[in-house]
Amino acid sequence: MPNGVSCAFFAFKNLENGYCNKDVFREGIAACQAIRTVDAVVNSSLNIKSVLPASETANAFIGNAAKIAKKIVYPLIIASGVYNTATADDKVKTGAKQAAGIATMYSFETIAEKTLKNLAKKLIESPFVKQHKSAKYAIYILKGLSFVAASLAGYDLGSNGAEKIVDKIRAKKNHNANVKQNNENTSDEVDNVLNEFVFSDMKL
């Protein structure tokens, strides 16, 4: 996650999702993101430490906890996907959507994080931002929101794409099954007609 804005958004989103769907993994993700939110804000370029001073021990604890949280976020996301698949009525479609959604989300987040980091650095070093310190807050917020948008777009793209693929495969299978059934029915009808013709000739 690039900053506290995105971490806070995902903390709230996963807490709500976990509570509504009784998904303990999502609740775990929410806890991890909450820890990362505090760490990201405290160690941001906004100099929050000067406003909310804390002991070195507390900062070190938060920093270490955030590092652990970062490592287990994606395993928890995957675990949530497995849980949702196992509890779904349509396990094939749900599994495909979860796997594709998580994969594309990770790809979009990776690209967005690198891009936004470089862009934000250039903007912060610009003469305008140096003269207007309040602009740093705007950049910080936009950076976080842009990362959120990229993450959500990545998941939706992968999930929706997987759903369409599964639907197309199933539609094709159903079509082939219907064609086969129609061919079998036609063949049976032809056999019946031939049998009637043959037996009627024999009777004559």
Side-chain angles (χ1 to χ4, degrees), residues 107-140:
S107 299
F108 273 53
E109 286 184 353
T110 301
I111 295 171
E113 188 166 3
K114 292 180 180 179
T115 303
L116 292 171
K117 182 179 180 180
N118 294 330
L119 181 60
K121 184 178 180 181
K122 291 180 180 179
L123 290 174
I124 290 173
E125 293 175 351
S126 67
F128 177 81
V129 175
K130 287 182 178 179
Q131 293 176 3
H132 303 81
K133 293 183 178 181
S134 60
K136 285 186 177 181
Y137 293 95
I139 293 172
Y140 191 84

Side-chain angles (χ1 to χ4, degrees), residues 173-189:
K173 285 184 177 181
N174 289 334
H175 174 73
N176 292 339
N178 290 334
V179 170
K180 183 179 179 181
Q181 185 64 44
N182 290 335
N183 290 338
E184 289 177 353
N185 292 338
T186 301
S187 178
D188 291 340
E189 290 176 2

Side-chain angles (χ1 to χ4, degrees), residues 1-8 36-48 116 120-121 123-124 129 133-148:
M1 302 293 175
N3 64 28
V5 173
S6 56
C7 289
R36 297 183 70 191
T37 299
V38 176
D39 180 66
V41 172
V42 169
N43 293 291
S44 70
S45 59
L46 304 179
N47 297 320
I48 300 297
L116 292 171
K121 184 178 180 181
L123 290 174
I124 290 173
V129 175
K133 293 183 178 181
S134 60
K136 285 186 177 181
Y137 293 95
I139 293 172
Y140 191 84
I141 293 171
L142 289 174
K143 182 182 177 183
L145 294 178
S146 297
F147 184 86
V148 168

